Amino acid sequence: MKLSPKLALLLTLPPLLWAGNAVVGRWAAAAIPPLTLNFLRWLLAFLVLLPLARPLWAQRAALRQRWHYFALTGFLGMGCYNALQYQALHSSTPLNVTLIAASLPLWMLGVGMLLHGVRPDRRQLLGALLSLLGVALVLSRGQLQTLRAVHFVEGDLLMLLAVFSWAVYSWLLARPPAHMQGAQRPPWDWAMLLMAQLVFGLGFAGVSAGAEQLLSTQPVAWGSGLALALVYVALGPSLLAYRCWGLGVTQAGPAVAAFFGNLTPVFAALMSAALLGEWPQWFHGAAFVLIAAGIVVSARR
């Protein structure tokens, strides 16, 4: 695998869009419950994909034959990760949640070793350490001793489940079962493959949102701001980011792709700083250097 500029761009766009998702999701927390936000996000994405994935409905037999795979990827990628992340922010702090999300490379390496027999080498472990150090530098604003004050709560456990679900999801994209490989793989484009996952993932998200509406006392505060937020999270972090992530993971592999995921909190910090009128500081640049070094070290052969 050669880390070309095009491949690096494919793997950089999703963290950028997901950072925007975190900023928008944090703003929308006061206007809409988390599971309902997740469901409406994927419902809008489903409607946008309908004309693009239209040929899928003529191949329902192939979809039924592979429903186990698509049900699992839909559950992990659409029904779990973002719902758990939105929910975690209700009882945990952004610092804790982002720190836990930054452990994704280690989870990728662990899932690959346990489920697929892919043993990490020293370069991957060193790359994980460099990337985690870069993220910690941003989150602590250049004062790593502040990380000693972190305390884990219920939301942190939810975020651990979210990161684990994303690691398994990414490995399923890179190492699909036999009926999704070679000659047995259906001749579907990216929109049809994403729609096949979304058919099941939207069902899981809808059940969760329905239960939330029955149990929650928070009403949905409809308005133009919330409508624009829903459009963004449906088109950017959902469709475009998932398309780029799927391509990047299959070309670079889940372990290398995970290091690019560590760019998300860095981008989020820069976006938050920009919204607050603050200029980037030295630790932002140092974090980029460390995370980029982790990517380069892990990708080299």
Side-chain angles (χ1 to χ4, degrees):
M1 187 278 300
K2 183 179 180 181
L3 194 61
S4 65
K6 180 180 179 181
L7 181 55
L9 178 62
L10 278 176
L11 290 170
T12 302
L13 275 178
L16 178 62
L17 294 168
W18 289 330
N21 177 53
V23 174
V24 171
R26 195 170 305 168
W27 172 86
I32 186 172
L35 300 183
T36 303
L37 172 62
N38 186 58
F39 170 67
L40 293 178
R41 164 190 180 173
W42 288 114
L43 178 61
L44 286 178
F46 179 87
L47 295 176
V48 173
L49 273 180
L50 272 178
L52 300 176
R54 189 174 181 179
L56 177 66
W57 312 120
Q59 303 180 38
R60 291 188 294 272
L63 180 60
R64 286 194 298 267
Q65 182 183 359
R66 298 162 176 82
W67 76 269
H68 297 86
Y69 173 74
F70 291 120
L72 183 56
T73 52
F75 173 70
L76 294 172
M78 289 85 177
C80 279
Y81 180 77
N82 284 281
L84 288 169
Q85 184 183 45
Y86 293 149
Q87 190 66 33
L89 286 169
H90 277 241
S91 58
S92 183
T93 64
L95 174 59
N96 283 37
V97 166
T98 315
L99 277 174
I100 294 170
S103 67
L104 178 61
L106 299 179
W107 286 93
M108 287 287 204
L109 296 177
V111 169
M113 183 174 62
L114 292 176
L115 300 184
H116 300 277
V118 179
R119 294 187 176 276
D121 56 30
R122 293 180 179 179
R123 285 185 295 273
Q124 290 175 319
L125 294 175
L126 177 59
L129 178 61
L130 289 172
S131 294
L132 287 173
L133 183 60
V135 173
L137 192 63
V138 168
L139 296 176
S140 64
R141 302 183 66 83
Q143 300 178 359
L144 295 180
Q145 62 270 20
T146 60
L147 299 179
R148 299 174 183 175
V150 173
H151 299 285
F152 293 95
V153 296
E154 177 184 351
D156 303 328
L157 300 178
L158 294 175
M159 196 59 203
L160 281 173
L161 288 175
V163 175
F164 175 74
S165 70
W166 189 256
V168 177
Y169 171 78
S170 296
W171 273 105
L172 284 172
L173 294 182
R175 298 288 182 90
H179 59 68
M180 290 296 297
Q181 301 182 33
Q184 299 186 54
R185 185 178 187 272
W188 298 346
D189 60 16
W190 72 272
M192 297 168 69
L193 287 169
L194 185 57
M195 176 62 83
Q197 301 175 50
L198 192 50
V199 166
F200 298 94
L202 187 62
F204 293 124
V207 171
S208 300
E212 180 184 60
Q213 287 297 308
L214 292 175
L215 300 175
S216 176
T217 58
Q218 180 185 1
V220 178
W222 292 106
S224 58
L226 180 58
L228 290 175
L230 286 171
V231 170
Y232 169 76
V233 297
L235 298 181
S238 300
L239 296 183
L240 182 57
Y242 271 63
R243 167 59 171 161
C244 294
W245 184 258
L247 284 174
V249 167
T250 53
Q251 295 180 37
V256 173
F259 291 94
F260 282 85
N262 271 349
L263 291 171
T264 300
V266 179
F267 287 144
L270 293 175
M271 289 180 183
S272 299
L275 291 175
L276 295 174
E278 300 175 354
W279 291 97
Q281 301 184 37
W282 68 268
F283 52 82
H284 291 119
F288 272 117
V289 171
L290 287 169
I291 292 175
I295 294 171
V296 172
V297 168
S298 63
R300 291 188 62 184
R301 292 191 179 277

